[in-house]
Amino acid sequence: RCPRVACPQSAQYGSCSLRRMSVMEALELLDQLVDESDPDVDFPNSFHAFQTAEGIRRAHPDKDWFHLVGLLHDLGKVLVLFGEPQ
């Protein structure tokens, strides 16, 4: 069993009291930020999530869990909109 490591973000965001949203709402929020790791991209950040999921689906059609991971992999970046650093 892995030990739990306490972190300030867990205490701050773990209760989900700041804001509740669906996955689609979180994906749409991604479009409001400029990703420091890729600032020159001309398309929305949500497009990257769908593009990643679709690429994984094509490469691994039998692993639906992996398609979902591709879609969700950048969702944590919405925390930038709530004051967290990139």
Side-chain angles (χ1 to χ4, degrees):
R1 190 169 181 186
C2 297
R4 284 194 84 144
V5 177
C7 68
Q9 287 81 8
S10 179
Q12 185 175 359
Y13 300 116
S15 68
C16 298
S17 61
L18 183 64
R19 181 170 175 180
R20 287 189 165 272
M21 65 187 87
S22 69
V23 170
M24 289 305 295
E25 289 170 324
L27 284 166
E28 290 171 5
L29 273 180
L30 283 176
D31 296 342
Q32 294 181 20
L33 64 96
V34 175
D35 189 345
E36 289 177 358
S37 67
D38 216 357
D40 300 347
V41 174
D42 289 337
F43 53 85
N45 289 310
S46 62
F47 183 78
H48 169 69
F50 289 111
Q51 192 177 43
T52 301
E54 178 60 17
I56 293 170
R57 186 193 62 79
R58 276 193 230 124
H60 303 280
D62 58 326
K63 296 180 180 168
D64 56 351
W65 64 270
F66 198 14
H67 313 162
L68 181 62
V69 169
L71 182 67
L72 303 179
H73 79 281
D74 274 346
L75 278 189
K77 290 181 180 181
V78 299
L79 293 177
V80 169
L81 302 173
F82 299 100
E84 290 296 324
Q86 287 196 36

